[in-house]
Amino acid sequence: IMTIDQDDTLTRCITFELFDYSNPDATPVVVSKEIEFHRGGLSQGVGEATILVPPGKYDCITARDPLHTLRRTDDSLIWQPPYYYASFTAANRLLGGDLNQDDIVDVVDASIWGHQYDMDYGTGDTPCGTLSPHADINGDGVVDMADLTFIQNNFFQESDPICSEPLPP
């Protein structure tokens, strides 16, 4: 067992949407969960969480940090009773830089960053309910050039589409 110093972790609110292809009229189930990340792993999407969802059949899930990232979609949701498994790591990691939830990293996000430049939040944690905008993308508690790097690296990247039923083979 490894103990992680509190200073080495970061808590972010992640919103998940679960979809059921067999009921296209159903609204997605939305669950928000505070997830703890290892600070060094934030850019790799390293974090693991168990979220409780209402009973049901789900085919697809999306995830996003509504203050900092684009929406990502995992349509390979795996059911292994009694759990569903999804992955938002590696190529499917959450991409930072969307500070206004308009589903694209663009000049508006850069403007928000510029307006908040040099702001010291005291912590990088953004539990559920944290007010927007919050331009500390990397989670070090301060809005600085490191945060602009996420915007630059992901400029013109767009959110994944929400889940939709796959086309027949």
Side-chain angles (χ1 to χ4, degrees), residues 6-169:
Q6 184 66 18
D7 291 338
D8 293 334
T9 60
L10 173 67
T11 300
R12 290 283 166 101
C13 182
I14 307 297
T15 299
F16 300 92
E17 291 180 295
L18 293 108
F19 295 80
D20 174 1
Y21 293 149
S22 67
N23 188 357
D25 296 328
T27 57
V29 172
V30 178
V31 178
S32 292
K33 170 82 174 177
E34 292 174 5
I35 297 179
E36 191 171 272
F37 293 86
H38 301 287
R39 279 195 197 281
L42 185 62
S43 62
Q44 288 81 33
V46 177
E48 187 173 308
T50 301
I51 60 172
L52 297 176
V53 298
K57 177 188 173 296
Y58 303 109
D59 302 295
C60 185
I61 186 171
T62 68
R64 86 178 315 156
D65 169 349
L67 294 176
H68 305 106
T69 73
L70 295 166
R71 176 187 55 247
R72 299 303 292 225
T73 299
D74 183 352
D75 58 6
S76 62
L77 190 61
I78 299 169
W79 169 245
Q80 290 181 348
Y83 300 105
Y84 284 97
Y85 292 90
S87 177
F88 293 98
T89 59
N92 202 32
R93 72 188 183 281
L94 301 183
L95 298 177
D98 186 12
L99 299 176
N100 64 340
Q101 292 188 50
D102 68 350
D103 296 319
I104 187 169
V105 178
D106 59 10
V107 69
V108 175
D109 302 299
S111 295
I112 292 168
W113 170 86
H115 179 71
Q116 291 195 335
Y117 181 75
D118 211 23
M119 183 175 285
D120 186 343
Y121 288 105
T123 178
D125 294 337
T126 54
C128 297
T130 301
L131 296 178
S132 177
H134 192 284
D136 176 26
I137 301 167
N138 75 340
D140 66 359
V142 178
V143 180
D144 56 18
M145 295 303 290
D147 301 300
L148 182 60
T149 302
F150 284 88
I151 294 170
Q152 291 172 328
N153 289 346
N154 295 319
F155 206 70
F156 286 135
Q157 292 292 319
E158 296 182 20
S159 282
D160 289 349
I162 59 171
C163 299
S164 59
E165 187 167 358
L167 297 173

